Amino acid sequence: MIKKASVVEIGPRDGFQNVKEFIPTEIKLNIIDGLVKSGYKKIQMGSFVSPKAIPQMRDSGEIAQIVLERYPNVDFFALVPNLYGAKAAVKAGLKEIAPVMSLSESHNMANVKRTCAQSIEEIRKIREELPDVKITQDIATVFGCPFEGEMSVDALVEMIGKLRDIGIHAFTLCDTVGMAYPTLVEKVFRTVKKAFPGDEFNVHIHDTRNMGILNSYIALENGVDSVQAAVGGLGGCPFAPGASGNTSSEDLVYMLNKCGCETGIDFEQLLKTAKYTKSVIDGNFSGHHINIPEKPCVVTQE
Amino acid sequence: MIKKASVVEIGPRDGFQNVKEFIPTEIKLNIIDGLVKSGYKKIQMGSFVSPKAIPQMRDSGEIAQIVLERYPNVDFFALVPNLYGAKAAVKAGLKEIAPVMSLSESHNMANVKRTCAQSIEEIRKIREELPDVKITQDIATVFGCPFEGEMSVDALVEMIGKLRDIGIHAFTLCDTVGMAYPTLVEKVFRTVKKAFPGDEFNVHIHDTRNMGILNSYIALENGVDSVQAAVGGLGGCPFAPGASGNTSSEDLVYMLNKCGCETGIDFEQLLKTAKYTKSVIDGNFSGHHINIPEKPCVVTQE
């Protein structure tokens, strides 16, 4: 059984960025405050992207400066698409950044308008120009691409090899559109951990096909260093009304805590934060707990 | 890894009974037809309960007679609350029935208006008066009771022992309000299979807390004989708007098929049936696949 699990909150980035209407900075800070109170030690607070591309993230610099000062014992990091964003994140005081590229050429082009080779070259520049920042590389579409379907694990190992050659040793393998499944998750983590024993591997799962909690569980069973999730299951896809987004943090933490797995996160406080988030944001919430009524519910017969 | 899994469809009973408006018999038959076409070998077609208590199930006798004639190679069974219902089910031609009682005294009283001792006495009468029918005993609240909380595994073993004394050797352990979690599911099935090696143990899971697929997976890993699920994730609780009901059949089958586990069920046909079900029934559908749009969905960044 899983004894200990590191759960990383990414709602303030992957969750918020899927909310159309701009969320006031004050509300974003209230939610981050609730997450810190819940016991989170690592939170992705936003992304340093073009305000034109993702207006929702335009206050990431301001938020970074505030939370770094308020919560010195919490690790905050941000997603960055390029060197420009990386510099802005470091300028805001962040000690860790997550550049993003896709295993799939077609998704990388659609997402960051570059070939994979061009992305690796950009990440090399980031590594060189910002030697002191921790880089945890996001690799998208590892478990499947909306254009190319299932991806090859050999191709993943090859890409990680190229990234290690430019000095990257921490990775987050992303299930971008929720195409992961248990045997694939097991194969991927067993393979990369065997190939690169000293490196850090995290997982980012989407619950699109109702396997978010199961895939996260399988990743933990196979020694993943941390599991990412979003409060309220916030996120999803603008083109998929009703479709689930990220794995719901409170559902995942509830399951792990019930299993006696040490998460360091207080479920009740987290649920309170999820309910507050739902009350102040008109988004796509797929977390189940926020839909369970206070009163016990008797089901007729079974 | 799980090589083979027996998935039992219970939507026409646990799913339909949670739909307020009466579903025309013809539509119920269309859905059962789609399930049979999908490859199901065992389907809970309804329940023989008081039409006053559950009007939705009032056509179970008619449906049983029709499907038994149409699909001789499929095992159909029904839930029965008492001897009266058991006789009606056998009269309709069913070869298997599922009487229901709860591990929890308080839920048993709320659900079937009897003490557990009175329920066992009723089941003894059913066993004696209907010696030729297969009895698969539903035990509700095994993984938790809305009134009493988590239940004792020792109490479960004791109850199964009493039921075996009256000739019952097949059981479905029910997660009535979705309180099961992986380590408990593992403990329950390891315990009962060790205590009663020759007997049949099935599982009935609700997805209330987003663990339906995970708990079903854990049950299969621990040798459960079959897993029950409902098409579209139909079901849920009349007192829990938005709360999930049973594990969604198409989500569960998709996961198992992707893992190379032999289910004998065609996912595409099942999804077609789930979408048809949603199109003709105004219910609480929690299955994720029926919410995924046809077009591939690109998520910004990860």
Side-chain angles (χ1 to χ4, degrees):
Chain A
M1 266 315 171
I2 309 154
K3 291 266 168 294
K4 201 167 190 282
S6 169
V7 180
V8 172
E9 176 62 35
I10 47 108
R13 199 278 307 169
D14 204 7
F16 293 174
Q17 81 177 12
N18 281 287
V19 178
K20 279 194 179 61
E21 202 177 307
F22 183 76
I23 305 163
T25 306
E26 201 50 44
I27 284 177
K28 286 172 177 164
L29 290 168
N30 290 343
I31 293 165
I32 291 172
D33 187 68
L35 294 167
V36 172
K37 282 200 177 80
S38 305
Y40 278 94
K41 288 279 163 276
K42 187 165 184 176
I43 298 169
Q44 189 173 51
M45 46 61 57
S47 63
F48 288 80
V49 294
S50 153
K52 281 203 194 67
I54 309 178
Q56 185 63 265
M57 293 286 113
R58 67 176 186 248
D59 55 358
S60 288
E62 184 188 351
I63 289 173
Q65 286 165 0
I66 294 168
V67 297
L68 286 167
E69 193 191 333
R70 279 188 192 167
Y71 317 108
N73 301 326
V74 177
D75 294 332
F76 291 100
F77 69 114
L79 184 143
V80 300
N82 49 36
L83 176 61
Y84 183 86
K87 284 179 173 172
V90 171
K91 188 160 174 268
L94 291 174
K95 301 271 179 293
E96 178 177 349
I97 56 172
V100 59
M101 74 175 290
S102 308
L103 180 57
S104 144
E105 281 285 352
S106 53
H107 186 269
N108 202 59
M109 188 55 73
N111 198 29
V112 291
K113 314 277 179 296
R114 288 196 190 88
T115 64
C116 290
Q118 290 168 331
S119 282
I120 291 173
E121 176 53 23
E122 184 79 4
I123 295 155
R124 191 188 57 72
K125 282 188 200 144
I126 296 174
R127 177 69 297 169
E128 279 179 11
E129 297 202 23
L130 304 166
D132 301 330
V133 73
K134 180 187 176 185
I135 295 178
T136 302
Q137 180 64 45
D138 277 333
I139 304 181
T141 68
V142 164
F143 303 91
C145 167
F147 311 116
E148 299 179 27
E150 189 158 324
M151 305 302 292
S152 134
V153 180
D154 294 344
L156 172 65
V157 169
E158 193 187 334
M159 180 175 281
I160 292 171
K162 289 178 183 169
L163 289 160
R164 296 179 87 251
D165 292 343
I166 58 170
I168 310 297
H169 293 281
F171 306 89
T172 300
L173 308 185
C174 306
D175 181 24
T176 308
V177 286
M179 290 169 72
Y181 54 91
T183 48
L184 179 61
V185 172
E186 181 175 82
K187 184 185 176 188
V188 163
F189 284 100
R190 285 189 180 178
T191 303
V192 296
K193 287 188 75 70
K194 192 177 174 207
F196 314 108
D199 289 7
E200 174 188 330
F201 289 100
N202 313 292
V203 72
H204 173 94
I205 295 280
H206 280 259
D207 195 29
T208 317
R209 288 158 182 82
N210 212 356
M211 273 184 279
I213 305 266
L214 172 56
N215 287 328
S216 303
Y217 186 91
I218 299 291
L220 285 166
E221 275 193 330
N222 286 279
V224 72
D225 291 289
S226 82
V227 179
Q228 299 187 348
V231 61
L234 191 59
C237 168
F239 309 110
S244 295
N246 295 279
T247 309
S248 157
S249 304
E250 67 278 11
D251 292 345
L252 178 65
V253 165
Y254 175 84
M255 181 276 289
L256 291 170
N257 287 355
K258 288 295 282 184
C259 288
C261 171
E262 193 188 316
T263 62
I265 299 166
D266 178 72
F267 170 73
E268 292 305 332
Q269 178 63 48
L270 176 54
L271 182 57
K272 215 174 108 186
T273 306
K275 286 179 172 174
Y276 167 76
T277 305
K278 192 176 182 180
S279 72
V280 291
I281 295 178
D282 176 21
N284 172 27
F285 293 89
S286 59
H288 285 206
H289 279 83
I290 46 179
N291 289 320
I292 301 174
E294 303 305 323
K295 281 187 180 176
C297 132
V298 183
V299 180
T300 323
Q301 312 299 357
E302 284 166 10
Chain B
M1 267 311 166
I2 309 154
K3 291 269 167 291
K4 202 166 190 281
S6 168
V7 180
V8 172
E9 175 62 34
I10 47 104
R13 199 279 305 170
D14 203 8
F16 292 174
Q17 82 177 12
N18 280 288
V19 177
K20 279 194 178 63
E21 200 176 311
F22 183 75
I23 306 162
T25 306
E26 201 50 42
I27 285 176
K28 287 173 177 164
L29 290 168
N30 290 343
I31 293 164
I32 291 172
D33 186 68
L35 293 166
V36 172
K37 281 198 177 79
S38 305
Y40 278 95
K41 289 278 163 275
K42 188 165 183 176
I43 299 170
Q44 191 174 51
M45 46 61 58
S47 64
F48 288 80
V49 295
S50 152
K52 282 203 194 68
I54 311 178
Q56 186 62 265
M57 293 287 114
R58 67 175 186 250
D59 56 358
S60 287
E62 183 187 352
I63 289 173
Q65 285 164 0
I66 293 169
V67 296
L68 286 166
E69 192 191 334
R70 279 188 193 168
Y71 317 108
N73 301 327
V74 178
D75 294 333
F76 290 100
F77 69 113
L79 184 142
V80 299
N82 49 35
L83 177 61
Y84 184 87
K87 283 180 174 171
V90 170
K91 187 160 174 265
L94 290 174
K95 302 272 178 291
E96 178 176 349
I97 56 172
V100 59
M101 74 175 289
S102 308
L103 180 56
S104 145
E105 281 284 354
S106 52
H107 186 270
N108 202 59
M109 189 55 73
N111 199 29
V112 291
K113 315 276 180 296
R114 289 194 190 88
T115 64
C116 291
Q118 290 168 330
S119 282
I120 290 173
E121 176 54 22
E122 184 79 4
I123 295 155
R124 192 188 56 74
K125 282 191 201 139
I126 296 174
R127 177 69 297 166
E128 279 179 10
E129 297 202 25
L130 303 166
D132 300 330
V133 73
K134 180 187 176 185
I135 295 178
T136 303
Q137 180 64 46
D138 277 334
I139 304 181
T141 69
V142 164
F143 304 91
C145 167
F147 311 116
E148 299 179 26
E150 189 158 323
M151 305 302 293
S152 134
V153 181
D154 294 343
L156 172 65
V157 169
E158 193 186 333
M159 180 175 282
I160 292 171
K162 289 178 184 169
L163 289 160
R164 295 179 86 250
D165 292 342
I166 58 169
I168 310 296
H169 294 280
F171 306 90
T172 300
L173 308 186
C174 306
D175 181 24
T176 307
V177 286
M179 291 170 72
Y181 54 91
T183 48
L184 179 60
V185 171
E186 182 176 81
K187 184 184 176 189
V188 163
F189 283 101
R190 283 188 181 179
T191 303
V192 297
K193 287 187 75 70
K194 193 176 172 207
F196 313 108
D199 289 7
E200 175 187 328
F201 289 100
N202 314 291
V203 72
H204 173 95
I205 296 280
H206 280 259
D207 195 30
T208 317
R209 288 159 181 83
N210 212 357
M211 275 184 278
I213 304 266
L214 172 56
N215 287 328
S216 302
Y217 186 91
I218 299 291
L220 286 165
E221 275 192 331
N222 286 279
V224 72
D225 291 288
S226 81
V227 179
Q228 298 187 348
V231 62
L234 192 59
C237 168
F239 308 110
S244 296
N246 295 280
T247 309
S248 156
S249 304
E250 66 277 12
D251 292 344
L252 177 66
V253 165
Y254 176 84
M255 181 276 288
L256 291 170
N257 287 356
K258 289 294 284 185
C259 289
C261 171
E262 193 187 317
T263 62
I265 298 166
D266 178 71
F267 170 73
E268 292 304 332
Q269 178 61 49
L270 175 55
L271 181 58
K272 216 174 107 186
T273 306
K275 287 179 172 173
Y276 167 77
T277 305
K278 192 176 182 181
S279 73
V280 291
I281 295 178
D282 176 21
N284 172 27
F285 293 88
S286 60
H288 285 208
H289 279 85
I290 47 180
N291 288 320
I292 301 174
E294 302 306 323
K295 280 186 180 177
C297 132
V298 183
V299 180
T300 323
Q301 312 300 354
E302 282 166 12

